[in-house]
Amino acid sequence: MFPCYTKQKYSILIIRIKFRKYWNMEKFETIGEWSEDKLDILGKYSHAYTTILNKHKLTSIYVDAFAGKGEYRSKKTGNKIKGSALNALTIKPSFDVYYFVEMDLKKVDTLEDKVGSQKNVTIFKGDCSKILLNDVLPNIEYSQFKRGLCFLDPYGIHLDWTVIKAAAEMGTIELFVNFSIMDINRNFKKADISEVRPSDMQRMNQTCGSDDWKNFLFDTSMSLFGDVSEKKSNEDIAKWFQNRLKQVAGFSYVPKPIPMKNSIGRTVYYLYFASQNNTADKIIKDIFSKYGR
Ligand SMILES: C[S@@+](CC[C@H](N)C(=O)[O-])C[C@H]1O[C@@H](n2cnc3c(N)ncnc32)[C@H](O)[C@@H]1O
């Protein structure tokens, strides 16, 4: 035994050596196949995006609003996987500028250790809504030949409609949006609106930009037998948010989102793409057609 080790410390050391494979694995969040698909889709589109922007001599900007810490482990294979932020740095041709935003300070530290020294990478700590509205989006001006690809990837219904609307109005931004149907099914599809918690209502209002979702989710139509409230299906809800991105936010092109499903076939979230560009729409439809079945 090493002289400086007590019996207890020594036992822990032995356990760590024996199970080092599993010990190391704990350091990484694991991600399911649907998240790997998400990263694939993002990677494929990003490649097409930077290729086209390069050709037109436009400045390409990648914005990861919910950046995470950049590395995970695959649930399926156990292999290490780059998250959306670090993955964006591997895209060829590369983006000209990268903006990463993350609220969790530990994750920010990890990102900074890995890529903080790269000149064209800016890492913001804090709430992405404020940072996007004040520091990031205003920098992506049409007149300065800048274009941005922005990824909004929260864990649940934690989007901010003002950011989505601002992105649509700028005309320079294309968006990938994660819309968590699992959160809606858990917390919003109640028998009655009065069962939805006020804090949940607040985040749904913020995500959708108003409380119109109440009329839609709790739509009561008259029948011969009195009022009936029919619960909306995942597809109905997905279509409703798709229309909202077009008609209320003002994106010209919002193709049908793809359902990202877990290993038992339940949809975890819908992945949307929204843009003002016809070519972008064609490219993403082609990519989406290969996923989400
Ligand atoms: C689903 S994870 C992002 C995964 C990442 N996009 C990827 O694919 O590698 C969501 C991340 O958003 C961060 N987050 C949550 N709310 C945020 C906010 N308001 N502003 C910035 N980051 C936030 C969380 O700490 C978490 O790391």
Side-chain angles (χ1 to χ4, degrees), residues 134-241:
N134 298 330
D135 305 302
V136 174
L137 297 185
N139 265 326
I140 310 180
E141 283 180 12
Y142 198 90
S143 58
Q144 296 194 348
F145 307 103
K146 293 179 179 174
R147 303 291 184 271
L149 179 63
C150 176
F151 187 26
L152 303 177
D153 187 26
Y155 281 129
I157 291 291
H158 291 284
L159 294 162
D160 186 338
W161 189 258
T162 52
V163 171
I164 294 176
K165 185 100 175 77
E169 282 166 3
M170 292 210 58
T172 50
I173 313 285
E174 295 178 4
L175 277 187
F176 276 103
V177 183
N178 167 336
F179 185 71
S180 176
I181 198 75
M182 201 165 242
D183 192 353
I184 292 184
N185 285 331
R186 274 196 196 135
N187 297 307
F188 299 92
K189 263 187 167 175
K190 305 285 185 185
D192 190 87
I193 183 86
S194 60
E195 292 170 42
V196 179
R197 283 187 298 238
S199 58
D200 287 334
M201 286 205 196
Q202 167 56 29
R203 58 197 181 91
M204 191 66 162
N205 291 346
Q206 191 162 353
T207 290
C208 301
S210 79
D211 62 2
D212 290 358
W213 58 273
K214 291 180 189 166
N215 297 333
F216 169 73
L217 268 189
F218 296 92
D219 174 28
T220 323
S221 24
M222 288 294 280
S223 80
L224 282 176
F225 311 102
D227 282 0
V228 280
S229 175
E230 235 178 64
K231 287 280 148 264
K232 297 290 190 289
S233 68
N234 284 356
E235 288 74 21
D236 293 335
I237 298 169
K239 178 96 192 134
W240 179 82
F241 195 68

Side-chain angles (χ1 to χ4, degrees), residues 29 31 35 38-39 42 62 64-72 81-87 101-105 107 124-131 151-156 158 178 269:
E29 236 178 90
I31 56 171
S35 295
K38 164 191 88 178
L39 293 167
L42 208 63
Y62 177 79
D64 208 322
F66 297 81
K69 68 173 181 177
E71 49 194 16
Y72 302 92
I81 288 181
K82 285 185 178 10
S84 54
L86 296 191
N87 209 30
V101 189
E102 173 54 56
M103 205 160 73
D104 179 322
L105 297 187
K107 293 182 182 177
F124 293 93
K125 306 176 194 180
D127 173 28
C128 61
S129 298
K130 284 194 197 113
I131 292 168
F151 187 26
L152 303 177
D153 187 26
Y155 281 129
H158 291 284
N178 167 336
Y269 60 87

Side-chain angles (χ1 to χ4, degrees), residues 48-60:
Y49 184 82
T50 52
T51 305
I52 294 173
L53 262 64
N54 256 7
K55 215 166 113 189
H56 291 91
K57 308 234 172 321
L58 293 165
T59 302
S60 56

Side-chain angles (χ1 to χ4, degrees), residues 23-37:
W23 201 282
N24 286 335
M25 279 172 84
E26 277 174 20
K27 283 191 202 157
F28 294 96
E29 236 178 90
T30 53
I31 56 171
E33 271 179 69
W34 66 92
S35 295
E36 292 188 45
D37 280 354

